[in-house]
Amino acid sequence: MDEKLLTQARDILGKAERVAVFSGAGLSAESGIATFRGQEPDALWSRFDPMQLASVEGFASDPATVIDWYNWRRGKLAQAQPNAAHRAMAGHPGLMHLTQNVDDLLERAGVPESNVLHLHGSIGKDRCHAACGIEEDISLEKPEPLRQCKGCGAYMRPAVVWFGETLPQYIWGQTQAVCIGVDCLLLVGTSASVYPAITLVDLARSQGCRVIVVNIEASKTKQTDIELIGPAGEILPRLLEGFSLKT
Ligand code: BJW
Ligand code: ZN
């Protein structure tokens, strides 16, 4: 890591009054959770077809395969533990987290549930695919195979956001409000390639917010002030040390 850039980033953080974190799959990579598009050989979209496994069309054509795939990922998450990056951020319980991640590793690290806005839903829940309102917590260790909704008979599915689906309206409104109010946004472990989530960074920037990137590779977005290149689990503990950050 470039020590000079780290010092500059800490300078920005030291002056910021309200900070928030926008995270992606790279945050959980050091916990053994595969990213989607990262350069790692186990990145999910290099091995699996996203339109078959993470779209309404894919679920309609072969729901059992989709559920089996999510249950395989749930098993991996059951074995995983929060890493040093999750823990470093949990040391700042006043921080708001806007995360694209569907895992619960921030919460397991000790971040209050109310401070985590899951833009793409939660893999630890199922909901009715016909949206009749039924939602159920599921066991990550022993998830249910394909089954029907007790309320209306449609299939149950993971409570996540697939391609072509809109983001939960309430969460979307809350994340926008956070982005309007912060003066520093940490962009941690995301390829910044999925809409509309990534437009939140532009929204924050349009209000004069500074953006600090933490990623193992250079960011595709040009809307950044400082890029700290390296694993989140190494950078975040050093970046955040000694501050009392809040949103
Ligand atoms: C590390 C690290 C370490 C590694 N430390 N860093 C063309 C143009 C514009 C938009 C579109 C388009 N075609 C289609 C669209 C829309 C589409 C979209 O954005 N597609 C793009 C891919 C082009 N978006 C949608 O469909 C969204 N809905 C929508 O637009 O609704 C409106 C609408 C409605 C109806 C019709 C049309 C429009 C919904 C998007 C839902 C995304 N869902 C997923 C799956 C969630 C469920 C699940 O988990 O299975 O969300 S896809 C996947 O991508 C997942 C992630 O949350 C999301 C973002 O990925 P993320 O987190 O950035 O991960 P990676 O893997 O991409 O990057 C990891 C990064 O970590 C890398 O940079 C590494 O370097 C780094 N890293 N190790 C630090 N140790
Ligand atoms: Zn139902």
Side-chain angles (χ1 to χ4, degrees):
M1 184 192 355
D2 185 322
E3 296 294 325
K4 208 168 141 198
L5 288 179
L6 178 67
T7 304
Q8 286 174 17
R10 284 180 55 82
D11 196 42
I12 291 175
L13 272 183
K15 289 179 183 141
E17 287 184 8
R18 297 181 69 193
V19 180
V21 184
F22 179 91
S23 58
L27 169 61
S28 299
E30 289 158 79
S31 296
I33 303 298
T35 63
F36 295 92
R37 306 169 189 79
Q39 61 197 4
E40 310 78 29
D42 62 346
L44 292 172
W45 295 158
S46 68
R47 294 188 284 158
F48 304 103
D49 176 1
M51 295 321 283
Q52 189 196 347
L53 297 166
S55 77
V56 172
E57 295 78 11
F59 187 65
S61 80
D62 188 353
T65 295
V66 173
I67 298 300
D68 288 350
W69 185 70
Y70 274 93
N71 287 349
W72 166 73
R73 286 176 57 198
R74 284 163 164 162
K76 300 253 179 212
L77 181 57
Q79 306 295 322
Q81 300 295 332
N83 64 49
H86 296 109
R87 291 195 298 271
M89 295 195 290
H92 300 265
L95 275 185
M96 283 301 293
H97 294 265
L98 325 178
T99 187
Q100 298 165 93
N101 295 347
V102 298
D103 67 52
D104 60 349
L105 293 174
L106 279 168
E107 292 91 335
R108 280 199 243 162
V111 178
E113 268 180 40
S114 55
N115 284 24
V116 189
L117 301 171
H118 285 277
L119 284 150
H120 293 159
S122 298
I123 201 169
K125 289 180 184 159
D126 270 349
R127 70 170 172 82
C128 170
H129 187 50
C132 79
I134 300 269
E135 188 172 274
E136 292 172 0
D137 288 336
I138 55 102
S139 156
L140 292 175
E141 290 84 5
K142 285 193 178 166
E144 305 254 8
L146 181 65
R147 70 194 194 288
Q148 289 174 292
C149 170
K150 290 177 191 128
C152 74
Y155 285 132
M156 295 294 283
R157 54 163 280 186
V160 300
V161 181
W162 286 330
F163 286 109
E165 293 187 311
T166 52
L167 274 52
Q169 208 176 349
Y170 175 69
I171 298 283
W172 183 240
Q174 279 193 309
T175 53
Q176 286 180 306
V178 168
C179 286
I180 288 169
V182 292
D183 48 14
C184 180
L185 190 64
L186 302 182
L187 213 61
V188 179
T190 177
S191 61
S193 57
V194 173
Y195 294 83
I198 201 58
T199 63
L200 291 170
V201 181
D202 298 331
L203 178 62
R205 287 284 293 193
S206 71
Q207 310 294 313
C209 174
R210 312 292 297 276
V211 177
I212 299 172
V213 168
V214 176
N215 200 304
I216 53 169
E217 59 186 32
S219 169
K220 289 190 190 85
T221 167
K222 298 280 170 277
Q223 306 281 33
T224 64
D225 290 282
I226 293 190
E227 298 203 4
L228 301 174
I229 305 295
E234 287 178 22
I235 293 178
L236 281 171
R238 295 189 61 201
L239 178 63
L240 305 184
E241 191 187 357
F243 292 124
S244 179
L245 301 172
K246 62 179 190 320
T247 302

